[in-house]
């Protein structure tokens, strides 16, 4: 009986030591990964890290790939005489944008926020919540991040107590963008250089008009972002940037316009703007190429300048590209 008790004690001591060792290794490895993660010099997380840890610009652009590829930060800076950073991220929606915005506000309050939205930004999407794991490295920075990640499931928050889990699937990318990549020199703006082959593009959509369901989480995120801008006295612009085909016949689009109107948020839709129907301006039917992005940025910067400075003498279309589009 005595020997059985001794063996039992040894087992629990060894188990305890194993748990302590596991936790210690996880903490040390997590701290190392955190260092390399926060010091990446290029890639999407380098852009996000700037917004979270280093933002000091006057204008912050938020949104999905259409934000990151459509808003030339340098042109906005030159036009508005305000520093600008593009914090858009490919494939992400309002949940990500709102979370990253909340993180940014802990260190800096921009004067202007540009939120680029798609017409389905409030629609329910199967994969949107599953992508929220990309916020895990920022978990300790804000409760808002935890609330967003919890939308994926409580198990995700439980697993995130492991420091190394927060970088799950990212280790190779972290070291690649730390050791092998050059720095980001365009203030978050990521221009697309290719031209769309219009012969391969259909202008028709397979979506049934107004068949989408509204996501309560996305509506909550949009309202949170709007209310934060009001509270911090930040000028908010909500834009739907150009696309080659029209996809505005969605419930999400109507709901978004309604929310902006009810909150007196400046909203403008460039989807059907005739100046942006030239296929030469597009990389694909949903994204402008660098030429189109520069033209659009000139246009949207002039739009914002007129709002921010009503006395300014501005025009909404770049003269250079007026002539180019006529040739």
């Amino acid at each position: 009986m005595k020997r059985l008790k001794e063996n039992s004690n040894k087992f629990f001591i060894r188990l305890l030591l194993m748990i302590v060792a596991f936790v210690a290794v996880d903490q040390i490895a997590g701290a190392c990964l955190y260092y390399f993660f926060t010091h990446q010099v290029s890639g999407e997380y380098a852009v996000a890290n700037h917004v979270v840890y280093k933002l000091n610009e006057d204008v912050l652009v938020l949104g999905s790939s259409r934000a990151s590829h459509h808003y030339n930060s340098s042109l906005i800076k030159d036009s508005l005489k305000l520093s600008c950073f593009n914090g858009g991220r490919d494939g992400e929606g309002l949940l990500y944008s709102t979370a990253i915005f909340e993180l940014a506000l802990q260190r800096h309050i921009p004067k202007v926020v540009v939120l680029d939205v798609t017409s389905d930004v409030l629609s329910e999407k199967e994969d949107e919540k599953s992508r929220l794991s990309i916020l895990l490295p920022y978990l300790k920075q804000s409760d808002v991040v935890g609330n967003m990640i919890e939308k994926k499931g409580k198990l995700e928050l439980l697993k995130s107590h492991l420091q190394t889990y927060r970088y799950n699937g990212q280790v190779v990318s972290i070291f690649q963008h730390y050791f092998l990549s050059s720095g980001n020199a365009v203030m978050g703006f990521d221009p697309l250089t290719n031209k769309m082959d219009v012969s391969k593009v259909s202008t028709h959509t397979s979506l049934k008009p107004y068949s989408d369901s509204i996501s309560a989480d996305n509506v909550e995120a949009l309202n949170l972002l709007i209310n934060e801008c009001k509270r911090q006295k930040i000028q908010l612009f909500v834009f739907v940037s150009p696309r080659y085909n029209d996809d505005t016949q969605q419930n999400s689009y109507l709901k978004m316009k309604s929310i902006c109107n009810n909150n007196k948020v400046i909203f403008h839709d460039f989807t059907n703007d005739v100046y942006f129907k030239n296929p030469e301006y597009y990389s694909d039917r949903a994204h402008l190429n660098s030429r189109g992005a520069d033209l659009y940025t000139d246009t949207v910067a002039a739009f914002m300048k007129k709002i921010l400075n009503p006395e300014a003498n501005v025009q909404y279309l770049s003269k250079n590209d007026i002539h180019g589009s006529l040739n």
Side-chain angles (χ1 to χ4, degrees):
M1 187 72 178
K2 183 178 180 181
R3 178 174 293 180
L4 181 63
K5 186 176 181 180
E6 288 177 353
N7 290 338
S8 179
N9 288 339
K10 287 180 180 179
F11 170 78
F12 284 112
I13 290 172
R14 288 173 181 171
L15 179 62
L16 180 61
L17 290 173
M18 288 177 62
I19 293 173
V20 170
F22 177 81
V23 171
V25 169
D26 176 68
Q27 292 292 316
I28 293 170
C32 291
L33 286 171
Y34 177 77
Y35 174 83
F36 289 110
F37 172 82
T38 55
H39 287 78
Q40 294 176 85
V41 294
S42 66
E44 291 182 316
Y45 269 120
V47 173
N49 287 343
H50 181 94
V51 175
V52 174
Y53 301 116
K54 301 176 183 178
L55 187 71
N56 60 4
E57 286 80 9
D58 300 314
V59 180
L60 175 62
V61 178
L62 296 171
S64 63
S65 58
R66 286 161 50 78
S68 65
H69 302 314
H70 290 184
Y71 295 82
N72 187 326
S73 307
S74 297
L75 294 181
I76 291 175
K77 178 182 177 181
D78 292 342
S79 176
L80 301 184
K81 308 305 179 188
L82 297 171
S83 56
C84 176
F85 190 82
N86 190 325
R89 182 161 182 158
D90 290 12
E92 298 307 322
L94 266 175
L95 299 180
Y96 173 84
S97 294
T98 300
I100 213 78
F101 176 57
E102 289 286 339
L103 290 169
L105 290 181
Q106 294 184 352
R107 288 164 179 79
H108 175 69
I109 299 175
K111 296 176 181 178
V112 178
V113 167
V114 176
L115 177 65
D116 185 272
V117 295
T118 56
S119 59
D120 66 345
V121 69
L122 298 181
S123 300
E124 192 77 52
K125 306 177 193 70
E126 292 182 5
D127 62 337
E128 187 165 9
K129 292 178 184 178
S130 66
R131 295 197 303 267
L132 289 174
S133 296
I134 65 172
L135 291 169
L136 282 172
Y138 306 117
L139 186 59
K140 66 179 181 180
Q141 306 296 326
S142 170
D143 290 339
V144 172
V145 176
N147 293 337
M148 291 293 181
I149 293 171
E150 193 173 16
K151 296 180 186 300
K152 184 180 178 182
K154 294 186 181 297
L155 182 60
E156 191 72 9
L157 273 181
L158 182 63
K159 291 186 289 187
S160 69
H161 284 89
L162 290 174
Q163 297 297 313
T164 48
Y165 179 76
R166 300 181 184 187
Y167 308 96
N168 186 35
Q170 300 172 30
V171 176
V172 173
S173 176
I174 288 172
F175 286 114
Q176 176 186 351
H177 289 115
Y178 178 86
F179 287 110
L180 302 178
S181 300
S182 59
N184 187 314
V186 287
M187 296 179 284
F189 172 53
D190 183 19
L192 300 173
T193 56
N194 62 301
K195 289 184 180 180
M196 177 178 69
D197 184 350
V198 70
S199 66
K200 298 180 180 179
V201 175
S202 171
T203 57
H204 301 287
T205 176
S206 59
L207 296 173
K208 293 181 179 179
Y210 308 110
S211 61
D212 58 310
S213 300
I214 301 297
S215 164
D217 289 331
N218 286 335
V219 170
E220 180 185 9
L222 178 58
N223 282 318
L224 177 59
L225 191 148
I226 289 173
N227 290 332
E228 279 291 358
C229 286
K230 287 182 179 179
R231 188 170 69 88
Q232 302 290 355
K233 295 180 170 56
I234 299 169
Q235 177 63 67
L236 174 63
F237 293 93
V238 178
F239 295 133
V240 183
S241 54
R243 60 180 296 143
Y244 193 64
N245 61 326
D246 181 11
D247 69 342
T248 57
Q249 292 182 308
Q250 301 192 54
N251 293 317
S252 164
Y253 181 81
L254 300 179
K255 181 68 173 179
M256 173 181 58
K257 285 186 66 176
S258 173
I259 291 173
C260 288
N261 290 336
N262 291 340
N263 286 278
K264 295 180 171 58
V265 172
I266 297 171
F267 171 86
H268 194 78
D269 180 9
F270 291 90
T271 304
N272 292 311
D273 195 313
V274 294
Y275 293 124
F276 301 105
K277 288 306 180 184
N278 186 342
E280 292 289 314
Y281 296 154
Y282 288 85
S283 173
D284 57 52
R285 65 183 184 177
H287 297 94
L288 297 166
N289 57 30
S290 57
R291 181 186 176 192
D294 286 351
L295 172 62
Y296 172 65
T297 302
D298 281 344
T299 304
V300 83
F303 180 96
M304 291 190 291
K305 191 172 185 177
K306 192 66 176 176
I307 301 296
L308 297 171
N309 182 11
E311 301 302 318
N313 182 20
V314 295
Q315 57 185 27
Y316 295 149
L317 188 64
S318 164
K319 287 184 178 179
N320 293 334
D321 246 283
I322 288 177
H323 298 302
S325 64
L326 294 177
N327 292 334

